[in-house]
Amino acid sequence: MIRFLSAACLAALGALLLAPNLPAAEITPEAMAKEATRLDKLISSVLQSSEKSEPASVDNATFLRRASLIAIGRIPTLAEIQEFTTDSAIDKRHRLTSRLYQSKGYQSHMNNWLYDHLRLDGVKLQGGYFSSNAPLIKWSRQAVRENKSWKAMTRELLSARGNGWTGSGASHYYTRDIGMPLDNSANTLRAFLGIRMECAQCHDDPGSKWERIDFYNLAAFTHGKSNLGRLDFLKGRGLFVNMSSEKEYNAPGLHHLHFFSDAIGQYAASGIEAKKGSGRIKLPDDYQYPDGDPGELVEGRTPFGGKVRLDSKKPTPDSLEQFATWVVGDENPTFAGSIAARMWLRVMGAALHNDDNEEFLDPKDPVTGALSSGLVKLMREYDYDLHAFQQTLMLTKAFAAKSAPDKETSFHGLLGRPIERMSAEQIWDSLVTLVLEDPESAQRIETMENLYLHGRYIGRLDDIIEKVHSFKTVKAYQDWIIMKYQEARDGTGPEAPEPRPPTYIAGHGRLMTSAILGIARASELPSPADPNHFLQKFGQSDRISIDGATNEGSLTQTLQMLNGATQEIVATPKDTMIRKILQSPSTNEDKGALLFQSILTRQPTDQERSLCTQELDERKVKGFTNIVSALVCTPEFLFIY
Amino acid sequence: MSSSQNFTDEFSRREFLRDASRKFLGVSLAPMLGGSLASQAFAEKTSVTKTGSATNVIFLNMAGGMSHLDTFDLKPGQDVQGPVKGIPTTADGLQIASYLPRTAEIMREVCTIHSMQSKQGDHDQASYILHKGYEQLGTIVHPAIGSWVNRLKGTENATLPGYIAVNSPANMIGAGWMGAKFAPAVVTNPEKGLEGTTRHPSVSEEDFERRLSLADTVNQRFHRENPSPNAKNFGTLFDEAVRVMKSEDLAAFDLTKETPALRNRYGRDAFGQGCLLARRLVEHGVRFTEVTLGGWDTHYDNFTAVQARCQILDSAYSTLITDLKERGLLNSTLVVLSSEFGRTPDIQKEHRNGRSHHPGAFTSLLAGGGVKGGQIYGKTDEHARTVTENPVTFHDLNSTIAHSLGLNHTKVIHSPSNRPFRMAGPDKEDAGPVIEIFG
């Protein structure tokens, strides 16, 4: 049960309280509404003590649009608009919020956040290794489906073992950064603790308290874990290196074999070995401070929170597990505060935390401390249920406040969210909403049981991986690989047990093996999208840095809105959802109004209504495309307000 | 605002020391920021002023690792040379591959740097340093040199983008932390020009105007009800887009305005036409244009493959230099030709006479922008394996580009996350522009 505390008690509390963890199922809408009221009281206190008055609330149309974009990442469909408009219940906004958070749209939008936050991208050649994040992406999407707690997710990501293809995809969290373990450490600290230690990787950070030794003490925890690339018969050297020294491997006509072998190898050899860890790391050759020597082995050691200190004299097999436990532990001062800060930013539109270099809430802040404290406490009470936490924020009065002109006047989102352009995914998904009757109908297919290379069925993935691990010598592996390669090349290999599945089902019920040009929500397309895709042009993250997305405008974008994708995908095709409006038996006046609702989620003003009617009367079909094209090229469509 | 109370007293102690030393000792604990050893050294060097004269840059990116031994750094008579024969050029003492006959005739305009060297043998990592001056990191994306040039020197033409990339790899050309304003406009097909600048074929000019008018009405109401500088600025981007669409400067992208004869001389392929486009863009004041020619990663069949690439390179490069010269543009245009590394002197017979990656020594070319032509800078050993004289790193190369444009390569700009960066890469006391090649 959530403990009920008076607002006065809450306001007086500056410290973080520990409360019993709740299983997700127990957080009912009523409970969330009560927590939202509590948060509103804390927000009022902050505003009062800052001598700022509470902003007015937005009207229903604005609320509907905003809530949809924030909860499910797209504008509402006509049907959803209808459902909300005709709901006469006094708590219709709460009911809407519940509907939104229960919908598939929430999953799609949350997936986008995770792809960005965890830098989930596809297959690439990195540092000489093939690195595929498909298992990690699959794991992440499943975690969203199950509403896995952030605490459980973090723990798994930081300490999962085994082959990600056959076991937990979370073990690919480290292989995602294969060849760059120190960058992984810097990203890990940022992603889960909100701490920016990238600078300290190379030198004491003049802009913060972090010193280089702190970085290495923390990096030590995850150093020395072993990627499964260390197959026994490789004797510690990479697969490619071993194979290329074998003469037959380089025989004429077999050069495609190398890539084939690498591909098989990367399936078999990716993940994290069980019971292997070092917990120690050598200081680099250019270590320049008196507190350590270049080449010196330093142990895993936590500079704050719970005290953990590993042994610099011998390896610690469970160093990953110890690290994970420390990160998510209640004694860690920023674990709850960093995810709470990020969810606040996501829902309310402006950061509550002050310092860009520390992405976590500060309960000691003189202005917002009590509110931050309340949010951290709530996150812990919810046992890191991000779904419930976000929904609770949306139930606050503060969420419904009229928007502010910019970040500064927004005052941390407490005086209204700052008016800003939607993310690339929100724009794309909103355009998809104008095309597909059910925007969530086009779903990515995630089967990974059967291995295909160059279009040929090779075998069941589990079997292949087991086989590779069974070899004792490079020669034996090579003979087998050459045989499999020749089978694939000549088409004499085994028959696939079932037809090859497409990559995803397109919204019009068509099966598609290429999602690049597909009409589907961003979360169902490759992550990141193709470099020339609309999403990338509009600032989708390239998945290289955390929070790599941008909502800045550019000339390329506006040209695309005027003459590119909006024309190709929305305005001109005859089988789109929005085209149905034109084809319906309503009057031109009603059609104009429906277009306004579909695109801008509101009724047109009298002047706009008259202009639309005239446009449809005079230009007919061209008038329709003119209205659609005009409306999507407005800040009103492209911004959240 | 201090959140040090979240942490132990150790950090409070450190903060106190840092603040104390700043206030009481007037000492900065941040020698990285601002003035540096390199800028001191540079100031001494430039007391003999040899400045560049470039206002524009054309950056020709040879993607994949161009074999230096088989193009510009020949070692006749050595085993490592393989079957490639050399021909004399209009640069004294310089032979280049017989695959490049037309280029041989214009080498009097070119400074050939034989002594490029790098430690990076991985494509992505090497290309990253070439383009951005910094080693690739997993925590921040650095701006490409085109972004830096526009940031430091601004744009010449108010309508056209100041940075345009033709067929270049997307992850190498971006503006990184500098943001969308300094991102390149991308051209994937030189014949098609700048994407999105023409109306969809189904849309008449009249309909286009009707759209703008309707949008305008909607916008007026929106800006009135929801005032926001952000939304206002975005609105002006639409105005800018329409201006670009109607601009006469778009003619820069119209290759049909050139004679077929000239287009043929450049070569009727993406790279050749891309180089022609680059020349036109320079004429219209585009500050930085990059054009990529790929296919240089000749692990297999090195000699056949290099010959094929050279056919394309030869027409395009020689015509570009000649064209710029004849139009009086060479002095104000720096033409850079570089690859991310060279290729191994040892020929791999088992790869059907291939060559693998070799960052230890390779060649880049600079022409125009105040660089003295017809010279060779730097030397490699008899196998073109190591640099024996005047090594030039990417750091130095990018500093040289800065110098050519009259830019201070030591200028520090901070990212939004408050990290200091410079155009030519990290502060290193030995690195700087190769002043000697300017004349």
Side-chain angles (χ1 to χ4, degrees):
Chain A
M1 296 289 279
I2 301 172
R3 259 193 247 126
F4 287 76
L5 298 170
S6 70
C9 268
L10 274 173
L13 278 173
L16 305 170
L17 286 184
L18 295 174
N21 290 331
L22 279 170
E26 298 229 8
I27 310 178
T28 61
E30 292 75 26
M32 287 191 263
K34 286 206 167 78
E35 293 297 336
T37 308
R38 229 168 263 139
L39 289 176
D40 275 323
K41 291 203 174 88
L42 289 172
I43 291 167
S44 292
S45 294
V46 174
L47 291 177
Q48 259 172 44
S49 55
S50 311
E51 286 168 5
K52 297 188 193 294
S53 35
E54 279 192 31
S57 284
V58 293
D59 61 28
N60 276 333
T62 307
F63 183 84
L64 170 63
R65 184 175 189 271
R66 183 192 290 183
S68 302
L69 284 168
I70 299 306
I72 66 174
R74 58 165 176 78
I75 53 175
T77 62
L78 272 179
E80 288 161 351
I81 296 173
Q82 182 78 346
E83 188 175 5
F84 180 68
T85 312
T86 55
D87 187 351
S88 56
I90 204 145
D91 62 344
K92 66 189 269 173
R93 290 189 181 187
H94 281 208
R95 286 153 58 82
L96 168 69
T97 302
S98 281
R99 278 200 302 281
L100 290 171
Y101 275 95
Q102 293 314 309
S103 73
K104 261 203 173 147
Y106 164 78
Q107 291 177 25
S108 171
H109 194 40
M110 196 63 199
N111 280 329
N112 288 329
W113 186 81
L114 280 167
Y115 297 164
D116 191 3
H117 194 67
L118 300 177
R119 303 171 299 128
L120 304 185
D121 62 355
V123 181
K124 61 186 185 292
L125 189 57
Q126 177 170 292
Y129 298 94
F130 271 113
S131 162
S132 169
N133 297 310
L136 188 54
I137 293 177
K138 185 179 181 187
W139 173 89
S140 172
R141 289 165 62 88
Q142 183 58 21
V144 170
R145 258 178 233 122
E146 297 169 2
N147 193 24
K148 190 175 274 192
S149 86
W150 182 245
K151 187 174 193 170
M153 287 178 74
T154 305
R155 190 192 281 282
E156 236 181 286
L157 287 166
L158 298 182
S159 59
R161 304 271 186 179
N163 186 310
W165 296 96
T166 53
S168 170
S171 74
H172 271 64
Y173 177 72
Y174 292 115
T175 54
R176 184 250 175 268
D177 287 328
I178 202 166
M180 31 188 253
L182 293 179
D183 287 339
N184 176 275
S185 292
N187 281 321
T188 296
L189 293 170
R190 184 177 177 194
F192 303 109
L193 297 179
I195 286 170
R196 304 295 297 267
M197 266 212 215
E198 307 93 274
C199 297
Q201 189 172 329
C202 300
H203 55 80
D204 290 358
D205 185 352
S208 78
K209 61 182 80 57
W210 305 118
E211 294 180 354
R212 201 175 187 195
I213 194 69
D214 299 321
F215 182 87
Y216 276 87
N217 280 140
L218 284 168
F221 280 97
T222 54
H223 188 76
K225 66 194 170 303
S226 186
N227 298 309
L228 289 174
R230 309 286 179 253
L231 298 168
D232 285 338
F233 61 79
L234 295 179
K235 301 190 183 65
R237 296 171 76 217
L239 181 65
F240 183 71
V241 174
N242 264 278
M243 291 289 282
S244 22
S245 61
E246 299 287 323
K247 262 182 58 190
E248 288 91 354
Y249 188 72
N250 295 309
L254 283 183
H255 49 276
H256 287 305
L257 168 65
H258 302 172
F259 297 104
F260 187 85
S261 166
D262 279 352
I264 298 246
Q266 77 86 11
Y267 285 107
S270 62
I272 304 294
E273 243 184 293
K275 298 193 184 54
K276 214 56 186 299
S278 166
R280 308 181 293 170
I281 193 171
K282 277 204 176 123
L283 291 179
D285 292 335
D286 63 347
Y287 194 79
Q288 68 271 55
Y289 301 108
D291 54 9
D293 297 319
E296 180 188 340
L297 262 180
V298 299
E299 74 281 9
R301 183 179 187 167
T302 54
F304 55 85
K307 281 198 168 17
V308 184
R309 188 172 180 177
L310 304 183
D311 194 335
S312 65
K313 295 196 179 45
K314 59 184 203 292
T316 306
D318 67 341
S319 57
L320 294 184
E321 287 76 0
Q322 290 200 39
F323 180 65
T325 303
W326 171 75
V327 167
V328 308
D330 286 338
E331 277 183 301
N332 196 303
T334 66
F335 179 63
S338 67
I339 190 64
R342 291 188 163 111
M343 292 298 109
W344 173 275
L345 173 59
R346 191 161 198 253
V347 178
M348 307 301 285
L352 185 56
H353 58 279
N354 265 328
D355 188 341
D356 279 340
N357 272 321
E358 289 175 338
E359 299 164 349
F360 49 82
L361 298 181
D362 179 15
K364 293 290 197 332
D365 182 280
V367 177
T368 57
L371 173 59
S372 294
S373 182
L375 288 164
V376 169
K377 178 170 167 295
L378 184 63
M379 180 61 77
R380 290 178 173 189
E381 275 182 0
Y382 279 176
D383 191 21
Y384 300 88
D385 180 343
L386 301 187
H387 182 270
F389 189 88
Q390 292 179 85
Q391 188 171 344
T392 304
L393 290 179
M394 188 169 284
L395 292 172
T396 60
K397 242 173 48 189
F399 175 80
K402 177 135 174 57
S403 52
D406 54 36
K407 274 207 156 75
E408 213 182 305
T409 45
S410 161
F411 188 56
H412 302 293
L414 303 176
L415 289 179
R417 69 182 311 109
I419 298 176
E420 291 206 337
R421 202 207 75 184
M422 296 196 249
S423 68
E425 289 90 344
Q426 283 166 325
I427 299 176
W428 173 260
D429 288 353
S430 296
L431 292 176
V432 167
T433 306
L434 300 176
V435 177
L436 299 181
E437 195 153 343
D438 176 4
E440 279 79 45
S441 60
Q443 288 279 307
R444 180 193 286 222
I445 293 173
E446 288 170 330
T447 49
M448 287 196 247
E449 282 97 41
N450 296 326
L451 177 59
Y452 284 81
L453 285 173
H454 306 298
R456 291 279 153 81
Y457 175 72
I458 309 299
R460 287 189 51 76
L461 189 57
D462 295 19
D463 295 340
I464 301 273
I465 290 173
E466 202 183 312
K467 184 79 185 172
V468 173
H469 279 275
S470 72
F471 292 113
K472 300 277 183 277
T473 63
V474 178
K475 185 83 177 67
Y477 171 71
Q478 180 188 274
D479 288 342
W480 175 81
I481 257 284
I482 290 178
M483 190 244 331
K484 294 302 281 182
Y485 167 71
Q486 283 170 336
E487 269 180 11
R489 182 193 62 192
D490 303 333
T492 55
E495 284 276 317
E498 60 251 339
R500 183 177 188 184
T503 308
Y504 79 111
I505 300 172
H508 301 285
R510 275 177 286 135
L511 303 181
M512 298 187 66
T513 52
S514 164
I516 291 173
L517 298 173
I519 308 300
R521 291 196 62 171
S523 58
E524 309 310 298
L525 298 178
S527 164
D530 182 83
N532 281 318
H533 194 274
F534 181 97
L535 284 163
Q536 282 287 302
K537 290 192 166 91
F538 276 77
Q540 183 192 50
S541 158
D542 53 15
R543 315 298 189 220
I544 293 176
S545 1
I546 296 174
D547 290 344
T550 169
N551 62 357
E552 273 185 84
S554 74
L555 178 66
T556 307
Q557 292 169 18
T558 45
L559 287 172
Q560 273 301 297
M561 291 306 293
L562 287 168
N563 301 312
T566 54
Q567 300 303 298
E568 297 291 333
I569 297 171
V570 184
T572 55
K574 295 193 170 59
D575 57 351
T576 59
M577 202 288 304
I578 195 147
R579 188 57 80 113
K580 289 202 172 82
I581 294 174
L582 181 69
Q583 293 150 354
S584 74
S586 330
T587 62
N588 279 349
E589 191 177 330
D590 285 345
K591 287 179 189 177
L594 284 171
L595 286 177
F596 258 79
Q597 283 194 74
S598 299
I599 300 170
L600 299 181
T601 317
R602 66 169 172 88
Q603 294 286 348
T605 61
D606 289 337
Q607 182 192 19
E608 289 163 346
R609 190 182 295 264
S610 151
L611 282 170
C612 280
T613 313
Q614 185 183 7
E615 191 62 29
L616 288 167
D617 285 342
E618 287 176 13
R619 304 290 293 160
K620 304 197 183 351
V621 178
K622 286 202 191 284
F624 163 83
T625 55
N626 286 348
I627 297 170
V628 170
S629 305
L631 294 184
V632 299
C633 284
T634 56
E636 188 169 350
F637 175 74
L638 293 163
F639 277 61
I640 309 180
Y641 55 90
Chain B
M1 191 272 293
S2 152
S3 58
S4 61
Q5 285 98 329
N6 279 317
F7 304 96
T8 65
D9 285 339
E10 165 65 14
F11 294 105
S12 309
R13 182 188 72 85
R14 288 183 192 173
E15 271 194 11
F16 171 77
L17 281 180
R18 196 182 66 226
D19 291 344
S21 57
R22 267 205 226 111
K23 282 186 207 138
F24 303 121
L25 308 176
V27 164
S28 170
L29 287 178
M32 322 284 296
L33 309 175
S36 65
L37 292 165
S39 49
Q40 277 172 6
F42 177 69
E44 283 154 28
K45 263 190 191 175
T46 51
S47 55
V48 179
T49 32
K50 280 189 194 176
T51 53
S53 53
T55 53
N56 307 77
V57 178
I58 296 177
F59 189 97
L60 302 177
N61 177 37
M62 305 293 108
M66 179 178 79
S67 171
H68 54 300
L69 259 167
D70 305 312
T71 52
F72 295 100
D73 192 6
L74 269 57
K75 304 292 178 187
Q78 297 285 341
D79 280 343
V80 296
Q81 186 65 82
V84 175
K85 301 273 175 282
I87 52 175
T89 69
T90 52
D92 270 340
L94 176 69
Q95 272 195 28
I96 66 176
S98 62
Y99 302 147
L100 298 162
R102 290 168 54 187
T103 304
E105 288 170 31
I106 55 96
M107 290 310 278
R108 68 167 74 81
E109 309 294 348
V110 179
C111 169
T112 305
I113 303 174
H114 277 154
S115 52
M116 295 296 301
Q117 74 178 20
S118 155
K119 296 197 174 81
Q120 265 308 337
D122 171 78
H123 286 295
D124 272 1
Q125 303 211 33
S127 189
Y128 193 94
I129 308 182
L130 165 64
H131 281 85
K132 301 182 180 229
Y134 284 83
E135 298 225 354
Q136 199 167 22
L137 284 182
T139 52
I140 195 163
V141 181
H142 304 87
I145 198 158
S147 306
W148 274 103
V149 166
N150 272 281
R151 175 85 185 251
L152 295 176
K153 208 157 166 86
T155 49
E156 267 184 280
N157 183 314
T159 322
L160 293 183
Y163 173 20
I164 294 180
V166 183
N167 283 321
S168 291
N171 56 348
M172 296 301 158
I173 54 174
W177 58 256
M178 272 191 193
K181 189 151 180 249
F182 299 100
V186 164
V187 173
T188 43
N189 181 348
E191 317 253 350
K192 290 219 169 103
L194 199 55
E195 237 184 280
T197 46
T198 47
R199 292 192 310 274
H200 190 268
S202 65
V203 183
S204 68
E205 199 172 329
E206 188 204 340
D207 281 314
F208 192 79
E209 292 300 321
R210 290 172 87 102
R211 294 171 181 198
L212 294 181
S213 167
L214 177 56
D216 205 42
T217 309
V218 172
N219 290 344
Q220 280 182 33
R221 180 205 158 271
F222 178 75
H223 289 310
R224 213 174 43 236
E225 304 282 317
N226 304 281
S228 145
N230 241 330
K232 247 308 132 79
N233 287 339
F234 203 89
T236 60
L237 280 176
F238 275 106
D239 298 334
E240 198 186 311
V242 173
R243 254 200 330 271
V244 170
M245 284 174 71
K246 297 182 175 170
S247 159
E248 281 170 2
D249 280 319
L250 268 194
F253 294 90
D254 185 0
L255 298 182
T256 65
K257 293 217 178 320
E258 299 288 340
T259 64
L262 183 62
R263 293 188 72 181
N264 291 342
R265 276 207 298 284
Y266 270 94
R268 291 286 190 156
D269 48 76
F271 182 68
Q273 298 302 297
C275 286
L276 171 56
L277 175 59
R279 190 222 81 209
R280 292 178 63 81
L281 293 176
V282 162
E283 286 175 312
H284 282 83
V286 173
R287 185 72 74 192
F288 190 101
T289 307
E290 172 169 325
V291 192
T292 292
L293 174 61
W296 290 101
D297 192 22
T298 52
H299 286 279
Y300 297 88
D301 288 322
N302 173 77
F303 300 101
T304 334
V306 168
Q307 185 175 14
R309 296 342 272 161
C310 281
Q311 271 177 359
I312 298 176
L313 176 62
D314 192 43
S315 325
Y317 187 64
S318 61
T319 310
L320 176 64
I321 300 291
T322 309
D323 207 5
L324 286 167
K325 176 104 194 209
E326 284 173 0
R327 287 166 199 267
L329 292 170
L330 192 55
N331 209 34
S332 57
T333 309
L334 178 69
V335 183
V336 184
L337 187 145
S338 187
S339 195
E340 66 261 36
F341 37 68
R343 303 202 83 82
T344 53
D346 306 305
I347 301 167
Q348 292 167 325
K349 297 197 171 46
E350 66 277 18
H351 285 181
R352 297 197 307 277
N353 294 338
R355 293 195 199 266
S356 188
H357 305 173
H358 188 77
F362 54 104
T363 301
S364 293
L365 309 179
L366 291 176
V371 172
K372 227 172 32 206
Q375 62 173 324
I376 303 170
Y377 185 81
K379 280 196 173 72
T380 51
D381 68 352
E382 69 270 19
H383 294 152
R385 195 188 306 272
T386 54
V387 170
T388 54
E389 217 176 280
N390 290 335
V392 178
T393 61
F394 287 133
H395 198 92
D396 299 321
L397 182 67
N398 289 350
S399 303
T400 308
I401 296 175
H403 183 74
S404 170
L405 290 161
L407 295 172
N408 178 3
H409 72 286
T410 64
K411 176 154 176 70
V412 172
I413 297 187
H414 287 81
S415 68
S417 55
N418 218 26
R419 293 168 72 167
F421 293 98
R422 306 165 354 137
M423 173 169 162
D427 181 349
K428 280 177 174 17
E429 59 181 288
D430 293 335
V434 185
I435 311 283
E436 301 92 295
I437 63 173
F438 290 88

